[in-house]
Amino acid sequence: MPSTKHFAEAVNELAERNIIGGYPDGTFKLSKSITRGQAAAIIAKLSRMDIKNVKDPGFSDVSTANGYHGAIAALAEANIIGGYQDGRYGPNDPVKRGQLASILVKAFDLPRYSVYDVKNPFKDVLVTGSHSPNILTLYKLGITTGTSPDTFSVNAPVTRGQAAKLMKATEENKPTTMITLEAETFGFDDFYGASSITNSDKELYTLLPVYGKPGYTKERAQLLPLKEGKGRISVGGSISGKRITKKFYILIKNVNGELKLTLEATDDYVPTDALLEVSPEEKVKNISLSTLGGNLVSDNVPFENCTNYDYFTCIKIEKPGKYIATARFATGEDVRYAIEAIVPKEGVHHDRGFHYDIKTLKERLTYVFDVEELFIHDYYYDKEALKKIGKHTILTLNANDIASITRDPGTNVFRVTAKAVGVVEMEFENSVDGAHFVPGEGLANTTTGMKIEIQEMNGLINITPSTIYELHKDF
C-alpha cells in the first residue's frame, strides 16, 4: 500500500507485527468495511488474548470450525463483545463506529469515563446512547476526533483503514499511570467499590467505577492520578461473606516526569461533621465544645452551614467520644446539643470508612409549633386541607406520662412539655394529601396524624414532632 495513504502508517505497522493482513491479491482495501469477525481477530491479537483455551459462547452462526471462533469466544468470555438478541453474532456484518468504540474501551481497559465526565462535542452522541460513554472516552484520550468536529457518525460502518488507525491510536494513548482496584488487590472474595473521602481527594485523582456482568466480569475501580499530593480512599468488599472496609492513603509523586500512584494502608480517621439542628431564623454567633465529663475541648469551635443539609450547622469532631456543644445565638440564647462519635462497626459501607458515626440531639424540653412546620420539606401538600385537619385524638394510652400536650383553641399550634422518653401518637379528624418528593418517584402520601417523640442523649432531652402518613400510588 502506498505510504501516501492517510491510514498507511497504522496499517503498515500493524501488518509488520502480524496483527492484520490483506487480501490474496496484495491489497488491503482501506475503504472496505471491517467485519465483526475481522475486528474480533485483530483485537484479540492486539490484546494478546488466549484464543485456544476458550469457552464456546454458543452463537448460532459461529461454529468451532469458523476461523474467527477462538477470537470471538475469547472476547465474549471477557465481556468485550456480545451477540444479537436472536442468538447470532454476525461475524460477516460490518462493525459500526459506536460498536468499535465500546470494543476498544473494554479490550484495552481504558478509563470508564461517564458521559458527564467529558465535554461532548458531537451532536449525534446522546447522553442516553449505549456507546456514548465509550465514544467520549476515546475523544477525551485523543484517540478520535470524529468524522467532523461535531459529528461522530455512531452508526456508520467502520472501514478497514479507520479501524487500523483507531486501534493503533488506542494502543498508543492508553493511560500508563492508571491503576485498577479489584478483589484480588485487597484479598477480598468480592469487591464492592471505592470512595473518595473529601473534595480535595477528588482534585488529586479520578476514581471511576467499572461495573461487572454476573457470570463474566466482576466489579472493579480505576484510579488516575491528577497531580502530586496525599489523599485518601476507602474500599469495600467481603471475605467469606463478611463485609470488610479497608482504608488507604493515596500517595502521588512525579517520577521521571510521570505521576506514580501508590496505596498505603491506614487505620486513621478524619474529623467528621456533627450536624447541629438550627432554625432558619436562628443566627449562630459562637459554639463551645466540652466532653461529657466536663473537660473543655474549645470555647470557640469553627462552624459552617452544612453542605447539602438545610437547617443545620456543622462542626468537626476529631476524636470518638461523648460531647456537649453549646451554641450561642444572636439573641443571646444558649442551646445545648448532645453529640456522640463512635468508630464504625466492621463492615460499614466503604463511603464511611474514614469517618466516625455521629449522632446529635438538640436540647428541647418544651416546644411550641404549628403543624404546618412539619410539611415545609415536602414537595407538595394540600394547604387548604391542612387548615381543616379538625380535631385530634391521642392514641397512646400513657401519653400523659410521656408529655404534656395542649393545642391553642381554633389553631393547629401545639404546645409540648417533655416528661419521659417515649412516643405519643395522635390522629387527625381529616387527612392531608401530598408528596415528599417530585411526582413520579412513587412517594405520594396521605398524612393521617402525627407523633411526638421524646428522646434522651448524654442527659439532654429533645422533643421532635413528625407526621404519620400512608404511602400510595403516585399521582
Side-chain angles (χ1 to χ4, degrees):
M1 181 173 56
S3 60
T4 55
K5 294 292 185 179
H6 182 56
F7 304 109
E9 182 181 345
V11 171
N12 288 332
E13 181 180 317
L14 293 178
E16 287 175 5
R17 293 161 53 189
N18 197 33
I19 300 295
I20 60 175
Y23 288 86
D25 62 3
T27 63
F28 183 75
K29 302 189 187 304
L30 285 169
S31 301
K32 187 178 179 64
S33 297
I34 191 169
T35 67
R36 286 163 60 87
Q38 292 169 343
I42 296 171
I43 294 293
K45 284 185 178 181
L46 276 173
S47 305
R48 298 180 176 85
M49 302 187 76
D50 180 357
I51 62 173
K52 294 182 178 180
N53 302 304
V54 294
K55 176 183 176 182
D56 185 3
F59 295 127
S60 61
D61 56 351
V62 183
S63 69
T64 55
N66 189 299
Y68 299 123
H69 177 270
I72 292 171
L75 267 64
E77 190 171 356
N79 194 31
I80 294 172
I81 59 173
Y84 299 117
Q85 290 185 345
D86 62 4
R88 296 181 305 111
Y89 175 73
N92 297 318
D93 294 349
V95 177
K96 296 178 180 179
R97 288 173 56 82
Q99 293 172 338
L100 184 59
S102 293
I103 291 171
L104 291 174
V105 168
K106 293 178 182 179
F108 286 89
D109 198 20
L110 299 182
R112 300 304 203 274
Y113 293 110
S114 77
V115 292
Y116 304 106
D117 295 325
V118 185
K119 186 176 180 180
N120 183 2
F122 304 122
K123 59 187 179 184
D124 61 338
V125 176
L126 307 179
V127 171
T128 55
S130 60
H131 300 297
S132 295
N134 299 317
I135 292 169
L136 294 177
T137 291
L138 296 189
Y139 172 74
K140 182 178 178 68
L141 296 176
I143 294 168
T144 183
T145 54
T147 55
S148 76
D150 65 353
T151 306
F152 185 78
S153 302
V154 179
N155 294 314
V158 183
T159 68
R160 286 166 57 82
Q162 291 171 338
K165 187 177 180 182
L166 280 170
M167 291 174 186
K168 182 173 180 292
T170 302
E171 210 177 27
E172 294 173 345
N173 288 275
K174 178 179 178 178
T176 58
T177 59
M178 183 180 79
I179 68 171
T180 299
L181 309 179
E182 51 195 341
E184 291 75 13
T185 308
F186 310 104
F188 294 153
D189 296 329
D190 292 294
F191 178 75
Y192 295 153
S195 296
S196 303
I197 306 304
T198 64
N199 287 331
S200 60
D201 292 324
K202 297 175 183 178
E203 295 172 359
L204 284 176
Y205 62 84
T206 297
L207 173 63
L208 302 171
V210 182
Y211 301 107
K213 181 178 180 179
Y216 291 89
T217 57
K218 295 185 177 182
E219 302 284 324
R220 296 179 293 133
Q222 298 167 322
L223 284 176
L224 291 98
L226 300 176
K227 65 179 182 180
E228 285 190 300
K230 183 178 182 179
R232 304 177 184 88
I233 193 169
S234 179
V235 301
S238 67
I239 299 175
S240 299
K242 181 180 180 182
R243 194 177 188 109
I244 302 292
T245 298
K246 293 187 177 183
K247 301 181 295 182
F248 298 86
Y249 284 112
I250 288 185
L251 307 177
I252 303 174
K253 295 182 179 180
N254 190 315
V255 180
N256 298 324
E258 187 172 76
L259 293 175
K260 295 292 185 182
L261 186 154
T262 57
L263 301 180
E264 182 181 283
T266 181
D267 289 323
D268 290 350
Y269 286 87
V270 298
T272 305
D273 283 335
L275 281 64
L276 309 183
E277 180 189 349
V278 175
S279 301
E281 67 275 6
E282 295 177 315
K283 304 300 179 185
V284 179
K285 302 296 289 185
N286 173 267
I287 298 177
S288 63
L289 183 68
S290 299
T291 66
L292 188 59
N295 296 321
L296 181 67
V297 176
S298 173
D299 60 1
N300 188 19
V301 179
F303 61 89
E304 61 183 359
N305 293 331
C306 299
T307 304
N308 299 326
Y309 292 97
D310 295 333
Y311 309 109
F312 287 94
T313 292
C314 277
I315 64 172
K316 297 288 187 183
I317 301 298
E318 298 186 356
K319 297 179 180 180
K322 295 182 178 181
Y323 301 88
I324 299 293
T326 303
R328 172 156 292 185
F329 295 96
T331 59
E333 179 187 13
D334 287 345
V335 175
R336 296 190 298 172
Y337 297 83
I339 301 173
E340 184 175 0
I342 63 174
V343 173
K345 295 179 180 178
E346 184 63 53
V348 67
H349 195 273
H350 54 268
D351 66 356
R352 295 292 302 165
F354 272 87
H355 294 98
Y356 299 116
D357 282 343
I358 302 280
K359 294 190 295 184
T360 63
L361 192 72
K362 182 177 184 177
E363 184 175 39
R364 190 158 52 206
L365 291 166
T366 62
Y367 194 29
V368 179
F369 65 95
D370 190 304
V371 173
E372 187 167 9
E373 295 173 25
L374 308 184
F375 291 79
I376 60 174
H377 298 298
D378 286 7
Y379 175 80
Y380 159 82
Y381 63 92
D382 188 334
K383 294 185 178 181
E384 291 303 314
L386 183 58
K387 295 175 183 178
K388 302 173 183 177
I389 58 174
K391 298 178 181 179
H392 69 276
T393 302
I394 293 179
L395 305 176
T396 305
L397 295 178
N398 63 333
N400 288 331
D401 296 330
I402 297 171
S404 169
I405 303 173
T406 61
R407 182 178 180 181
D408 291 357
T411 73
N412 289 337
V413 175
F414 285 78
R415 299 175 183 273
V416 182
T417 300
K419 294 181 180 180
V421 174
V423 177
V424 176
E425 294 188 354
M426 65 180 68
E427 186 177 60
F428 298 149
E429 184 178 3
N430 302 309
S431 61
V432 181
D433 288 330
H436 291 319
F437 297 105
V438 179
E441 295 183 354
L443 292 171
N445 59 273
T446 297
T447 297
T448 59
M450 71 175 176
K451 62 181 179 181
I452 296 173
E453 186 174 5
I454 311 300
Q455 304 173 77
E456 182 276 333
M457 183 176 168
N458 296 356
L460 304 188
I461 299 296
N462 169 271
I463 299 169
T464 298
S466 59
T467 58
I468 296 175
Y469 56 87
E470 299 172 353
L471 290 175
H472 53 80
K473 187 175 181 179
D474 208 346
F475 52 81

